[in-house]
Amino acid sequence: MAAAGYERTTVEDLATAIGVSRVTLHRHGIGKSEVLQVLGERATREYQDAMWPMLTSSAPADERLGRAIDVVLAQAERHLALLVALGSQSDGVFHEDESAPGAPTETRSVFVEPLQRIIDDAVREGTVVDDGSLATVVFNTVGWSYIHLRTGHRWSCERAAASVRRLVLHGLLTP
């Protein structure tokens, strides 16, 4: 997929990403938005699967939180082109459906609930203070900062991940 965003991503790029031919997509009347939706659903499942070990681990919450941030970073890298394409079209894949026009939207629970469970454990252990919005802030700060540093600043994945991880963890954990 083209890392330049939705407009420059071709149906052929998307067909390659899902392992079919462009002709197959055309024959079934499948366009870019449908393919991006399928790829987004696949990436969401991969994220959930990658987060599962952090939710079932008996390690201290601050360690699991660091590993959960690593999962967000790794998934952002793995799906960087897709996220750029989705983000330039709309970042709605990350938000709950709006109940009313102009009403605030929340990041979809599938993305923040795993982080919230770990943050709740960290609060109980006394290593994090949460006002109830921390999981949303962490998910968005880690993901979008990483994507911007990788694409806008062309940082290496190692530099971007280390910088974002360090900033977020130092900002989260109480001394």
Side-chain angles (χ1 to χ4, degrees):
M1 235 181 320
Y6 182 78
E7 292 304 318
R8 297 180 86 186
T9 301
T10 67
V11 173
E12 190 160 343
D13 293 332
L14 295 170
T16 300
I18 62 172
V20 299
S21 73
R22 178 185 54 78
V23 173
T24 300
L25 294 179
H26 179 71
R27 189 177 314 131
H28 293 287
I30 299 171
K32 284 173 34 172
S33 61
E34 292 87 2
V35 173
L36 285 173
Q37 180 181 354
V38 168
L39 290 172
E41 290 167 2
R42 184 186 297 171
T44 299
R45 284 190 304 277
E46 287 181 22
Y47 171 82
Q48 289 176 298
D49 292 345
M51 276 294 190
W52 184 248
M54 271 45 72
L55 297 174
T56 59
S57 171
S58 60
D62 58 343
E63 284 180 34
R64 291 185 292 128
L65 189 55
R67 292 196 315 245
I69 288 169
D70 292 340
V71 166
V72 175
L73 292 165
Q75 291 298 306
E77 178 62 30
R78 177 170 168 72
H79 300 288
L80 189 60
L82 172 65
L83 295 170
V84 169
L86 286 169
S88 65
Q89 179 191 21
S90 163
D91 63 355
V93 68
F94 296 107
H95 298 123
E96 301 289 358
D97 291 335
E98 289 186 39
S99 55
T105 60
E106 295 297 323
T107 302
R108 285 180 52 205
S109 58
V110 70
F111 298 114
V112 295
E113 279 181 5
L115 292 168
Q116 188 62 59
R117 287 179 52 191
I118 297 167
I119 288 168
D120 290 345
D121 290 345
V123 167
R124 281 190 288 281
E125 292 175 9
T127 55
V128 169
V129 175
D130 182 20
D131 65 359
S133 62
L134 194 54
T136 297
V137 172
V138 169
F139 177 79
N140 285 284
T141 300
V142 171
W144 293 115
S145 296
Y146 178 82
I147 290 166
H148 178 75
L149 291 170
R150 289 284 288 125
T151 60
H153 295 274
R154 297 187 187 103
W155 283 16
S156 70
C157 62
E158 295 83 7
R159 181 181 180 195
S163 297
V164 171
R165 185 183 201 281
R166 184 174 47 254
L167 174 71
V168 171
L169 276 178
H170 286 301
L172 284 173
L173 302 176
T174 58

